[in-house]
Amino acid sequence: MIYRHFNAPSRAFSQFSHELIRHPRLNSDAVRLLTWQLSLPRGARESLSATARRARIGGCAFTRAKRQLKEEGFVHERRVQGPRGRWITQQLVSSTPLASAQAVKILAGVPLLTCADDVSPQVAPSPRKPAVGQPTTPPTGGHPEKEPSEDTSHLPAATSGDERSLDDARALIGVLHLLSPALRRIPPGMRDELARLAARWLDAGHTPADIHAHILRGLPGAGTPVHRPGGLVRYLLRDVPPRALPASPPPDPAAPRLSLRLEGARECAGDHVQPMLFQPLGDESLCARCAASAPDQPMPVPGGDRACVSS
């Protein structure tokens, strides 16, 4: 059982209809906003948003309450253009629901001066002062006397090699979070420092793939948390190793080879119609036939003529 005790105020009170306070389609914020506005003294210029701030009604709650009051006819708004083209929002708050035609009739009898202290009745715009001098048409046609590059300040700035490598390094560092989940929490403030370290690797000839592979090799094993990924990457990029040249590929067994009869053969340096190969017995450069005709060359052992092979 509930008991009520009520003392009628002797001053500073407002009379509201029970239908307004118990309205089934108005929430508590809408009722509070409406009753607060109706309790203001006559001639007050406080807007609905200012009342919501004083009543501690938040932005979303105020929007919802204002929409309910407008749907039920307790609040009406219209936009009118004041002096010098300034637009003014007129708000009408009523203790009883009003139709749109009734609200327009009431607002039509309210001068614009009552909506804002600095607003005067709407007047026609004053005539503009003409510009000094005679009107001229803009020049058309023809070509500029100088190259556009000398007259514009929006040309792309020339970038040096260091700037390009630094830009590549920033892009390299920006995708580290895609390599491993352990690198997803690198502080944004460390990216410039890491980019400068990565630029040293690029200047040394390393590729972005080499740098990414080096960072992945330095990460701990699976299941080991990385509490400071930025510090770990900085440690891994601190020293720049020399870039190892790719090793020459091993000989392909399927590649064509010389026949066993020609393995170890050497081309004779003598005068022949066509290249002549021979099997040297030492470090001689002439075959036995050419060595026989050259007195200053040592003679090969007998049987050297049989080692001469025509290519």
Side-chain angles (χ1 to χ4, degrees):
M1 184 175 291
I2 183 171
Y3 299 92
R4 300 177 181 84
H5 176 71
F6 178 76
N7 288 329
S10 59
R11 54 181 297 274
F13 65 92
S14 301
Q15 293 183 352
F16 303 106
S17 172
H18 290 174
E19 297 178 355
L20 187 151
I21 300 176
R22 303 171 187 173
H23 200 287
R25 291 181 297 277
L26 295 181
N27 60 13
S28 59
D29 293 326
V31 173
R32 180 172 172 81
L33 184 63
L34 178 58
T35 55
W36 191 304
Q37 273 282 328
L38 295 176
S39 66
L40 294 176
R42 184 181 299 273
R45 298 292 181 265
E46 185 174 297
S47 62
L48 291 173
S49 58
T51 301
R53 288 193 296 270
R54 294 178 58 191
R56 305 291 181 86
I57 301 176
C60 295
F62 167 67
T63 303
R64 185 163 47 251
K66 181 179 176 181
R67 182 177 66 250
Q68 292 179 2
L69 293 174
K70 293 177 67 174
E71 290 175 354
E72 297 299 327
F74 291 100
V75 172
H76 294 268
E77 285 185 335
R78 74 168 184 173
R79 297 273 292 175
V80 294
Q81 193 171 14
R84 298 182 300 276
R86 179 179 178 181
W87 286 91
I88 303 166
T89 300
Q90 287 182 319
Q91 294 179 337
L92 175 62
V93 180
S94 174
S95 61
T96 57
L98 298 176
S100 299
Q102 294 174 321
V104 170
K105 186 176 181 180
I106 295 175
L107 289 175
V110 179
L112 295 180
L113 183 60
T114 62
C115 300
D117 295 337
D118 58 343
V119 176
S120 58
Q122 185 172 1
V123 295
S126 59
R128 298 181 59 184
K129 296 182 179 180
V132 179
Q134 298 296 328
T136 58
T137 56
T140 57
H143 298 277
E145 298 179 356
K146 297 183 179 181
E147 294 293 334
S149 59
E150 299 180 6
D151 299 333
T152 180
S153 59
H154 299 285
L155 292 177
T159 57
S160 60
D162 295 340
E163 294 177 354
R164 286 193 296 269
S165 62
L166 188 58
D167 292 340
D168 296 340
R170 290 194 181 99
L172 184 151
I173 296 298
V175 298
L176 287 182
H177 65 282
L178 302 177
L179 300 180
S180 172
L183 303 177
R184 292 178 180 175
R185 301 181 62 183
I186 296 179
M190 294 187 62
R191 292 178 182 175
D192 288 342
E193 179 184 3
L194 299 180
R196 288 191 294 270
L197 294 175
R200 295 170 55 222
W201 284 66
L202 296 177
D203 294 338
H206 296 275
T207 63
D210 298 337
I211 301 175
H212 286 166
H214 176 74
I215 294 175
L216 290 178
R217 286 194 299 267
L219 295 179
T224 304
V226 179
H227 300 288
R228 294 179 176 85
L232 177 60
V233 175
R234 178 174 55 191
Y235 171 78
L236 295 175
L237 299 180
R238 181 179 57 184
D239 299 326
V240 183
R243 184 171 185 271
L245 297 177
S248 57
D252 187 4
R257 299 176 57 187
L258 295 175
S259 63
L260 296 177
R261 191 170 66 92
L262 297 179
E263 285 188 358
R266 181 182 300 173
E267 183 178 352
C268 178
D271 187 11
H272 294 277
V273 177
Q274 59 183 357
M276 179 68 67
L277 300 179
F278 71 99
Q279 292 289 348
L281 302 178
D283 58 351
E284 65 271 16
S285 59
L286 298 176
C287 62
R289 186 177 304 170
C290 294
S293 61
D296 55 344
Q297 293 290 335
M299 291 292 293
V301 297
D305 288 342
R306 290 193 301 271
C308 292
V309 180
S310 176
S311 61

